[in-house]
Amino acid sequence: VSTQSTWVYPTRNLTSCMSRSSLRRHYTTTLLLNWSASLGSGIGLMIGLQILTGILLAMRVPQTESFTAIVAISRNIDSGLFVRGLHCAGATLVMLALYLHMGKAIWINASASSRGVWITGAGLYVLSIGVCFTGYSLTGGQMSHWAITVICSLVSAVPLLGQDILETLWGGTVVSMVSVTRMYVLHMILPAVVGGLALVHLLLLHRSNSACHVVASPSDRIPFVAYYLGRDMAVCCALVMGLAYWTCFRPDQVVDPENSVPANPSVTPASIAPEWYLLPFYGLVRAVPSKILGVVAMGLSYGCLISLGDMGLRSALRTPLGLSIARTSLLLVALDCVVVSIVCMQVNHSEASYALLVAAVAACPVYLFLLLYDLRRRLGPSPLPPTSYTALPCTLR
């Protein structure tokens, strides 16, 4: 214990490190990190770009109806179309990077080092979805109007207070410009909350030494700036290049064609579907006949997501067989989410696909098998002493 405290404490006290002559020399981290660990830095950069482009758009938005304002930004303001394209493509890229980052964290059991890191990360995921949804609702297009109508109406399933919450979000009994204004206010507030929670997430990650639950030796610590800063910059450059390509050459891939038409409450689109990052939850709601049961199932799925990082792999790492079962279950759950998303889109055009959607959603209890396996390992004796399996994750990175 005394050996650990002599080399871990300087990395946790950032103030003492900055007061020294060279931050580059004294700020160290574990050498167990690979290229996927730099994805978090890329997400931070993308969130910063989203806030910057959002501020630029907010300063230039004209005082008019939302769809007319979007058209005016794109056509009448210098570089307005480019800035709006960066903002739209950046939202998609942030959510894609978030999914990859969370999947990597579950895969390597990174949450074992600090439960707070995983919980704040799951909170960032929900807040990011809220930011993207409120931004998607501001375009004044046909799909954004019905997105506010359908998604917000889910809160009406809450007993007693559901209808009151819905009318508070809408600013009335139907979707109107008051609804768009309230979504705009939420879209301005939520990024500030995301930024604050991201700083807490980074602080907790720093306190856990950016490592898993393995206690490495002092010789496994290397300077951060010399080795990982360049790697982070390379990953950030790759994300920026992907953002530039998406904005300049594939702008229509991140914009629904229905949003090119002004909102018309009397006309329902042929297929109402949210953005791709909400399709698994939307498919779950559609597969359940009752609205309130669908909302409950969606809440339980998010609860499973929070518990997955801490529950599934910690005890499974004790044996190679347990690790294989846990990771296979994780891959099956991810594949099932993709299938649910694809089938959910097909149900809009063919009701015969509804049975397949229900079957795909019903396949999710494979996660229950992972839960039961974990409980059995926790209640039973450990097959190996703790000192003999703590080094196993080092070989998995």
Side-chain angles (χ1 to χ4, degrees):
V1 177
S2 60
T3 303
Q4 178 184 354
S5 61
T6 57
W7 64 271
V8 172
Y9 178 77
T11 62
R12 292 186 176 181
N13 194 344
L14 183 60
T15 306
S16 62
C17 292
M18 295 183 65
S19 62
R20 297 178 183 179
S21 59
S22 177
L23 178 62
R24 180 187 62 84
R25 180 179 178 183
H26 295 285
Y27 184 71
T28 63
T29 187
T30 176
L31 55 76
L32 302 178
L33 304 179
N34 55 17
W35 279 87
S36 62
S38 299
L39 196 58
S41 301
I43 295 174
L45 174 66
M46 296 303 300
I47 292 177
L49 289 177
Q50 286 297 99
I51 294 176
L52 177 61
T53 54
I55 292 175
L56 293 177
L57 290 175
M59 291 190 301
R60 298 183 177 186
V61 61
Q63 300 297 323
T64 182
E65 191 266 341
S66 57
F67 186 82
T68 306
I70 294 298
V71 174
I73 290 175
S74 302
R75 295 182 178 180
N76 303 332
I77 298 178
D78 292 339
S79 304
L81 181 62
F82 177 71
V83 175
R84 178 173 175 259
L86 285 177
H87 199 66
C88 295
T92 300
L93 198 58
V94 166
M95 294 307 303
L96 177 61
L98 273 176
Y99 275 110
L100 294 176
H101 189 59
M102 295 174 64
K104 184 267 301 182
I106 298 174
W107 185 264
I108 67 174
N109 194 28
S111 62
S113 61
S114 174
R115 184 175 301 178
V117 174
W118 177 258
I119 293 177
T120 54
L124 284 171
Y125 167 70
V126 174
L127 290 175
S128 299
I129 287 180
V131 173
C132 292
F133 170 72
T134 53
Y136 185 78
S137 305
L138 300 179
T139 59
Q142 182 75 332
M143 188 59 69
S144 65
H145 172 86
W146 285 98
I148 302 178
T149 303
V150 174
I151 302 300
C152 290
S153 64
L154 294 177
V155 302
S156 63
V158 179
L160 301 179
L161 300 177
Q163 189 63 32
D164 294 335
I165 297 175
L166 179 62
E167 292 182 4
T168 302
L169 290 175
W170 282 354
T173 57
V174 295
V175 178
S176 61
M177 279 302 299
V178 178
S179 310
V180 177
T181 303
R182 299 193 176 191
M183 291 297 164
Y184 180 78
V185 173
L186 290 175
H187 193 62
M188 294 292 105
I189 295 176
L190 288 179
V193 182
V194 169
L197 190 59
L199 292 178
V200 175
H201 183 73
L202 185 61
L203 176 62
L204 294 175
L205 181 66
H206 174 76
R207 290 177 61 87
S208 63
N209 297 293
S210 304
C212 62
H213 63 288
V214 179
V215 179
S217 63
S219 60
D220 292 330
R221 309 294 295 183
I222 57 177
F224 173 81
V225 176
Y227 293 92
Y228 288 118
L229 184 60
R231 180 184 297 182
D232 290 352
M233 294 178 62
V235 172
C236 292
C237 289
L239 289 175
V240 171
M241 291 176 63
L243 176 62
Y245 174 80
W246 233 337
T247 303
C248 298
F249 299 101
R250 294 291 186 269
D252 295 335
Q253 290 184 352
V254 296
V255 178
D256 195 297
E258 291 285 349
N259 271 337
S260 300
V261 181
N264 187 357
S266 61
V267 177
T268 304
S271 60
I272 300 178
E275 291 292 276
W276 63 271
Y277 43 83
L278 284 177
L279 280 176
F281 299 101
Y282 186 65
L284 181 62
V285 173
R286 295 201 61 177
V288 180
S290 173
K291 179 187 291 187
I292 185 171
L293 292 180
V295 174
V296 170
M298 186 169 60
L300 290 177
S301 65
Y302 178 67
C304 292
L305 177 64
I306 295 178
S307 62
L308 184 61
D310 182 65
M311 181 198 65
L313 294 182
R314 174 176 292 186
S315 59
L317 280 173
R318 296 179 177 180
T319 62
L321 177 61
L323 179 64
S324 301
I325 293 176
R327 289 189 169 179
T328 302
S329 301
L330 174 62
L331 291 176
L332 289 176
V333 171
L335 179 62
D336 189 70
C337 290
V338 175
V339 173
V340 169
S341 302
I342 296 175
V343 177
C344 180
M345 297 296 296
Q346 298 299 323
V347 172
N348 291 324
H349 306 284
S350 175
E351 290 296 331
S353 302
Y354 182 78
L356 182 58
L357 176 64
V358 174
V361 171
C364 287
V366 69
Y367 177 81
L368 180 61
F369 173 75
L370 177 61
L371 171 63
L372 295 177
Y373 179 83
D374 182 78
L375 291 178
R376 184 177 68 84
R377 305 303 292 177
R378 289 181 186 270
L379 296 177
S382 175
L384 296 174
T387 56
S388 60
Y389 68 82
T390 51
L392 179 60
C394 297
T395 62
L396 300 176
R397 291 174 180 263

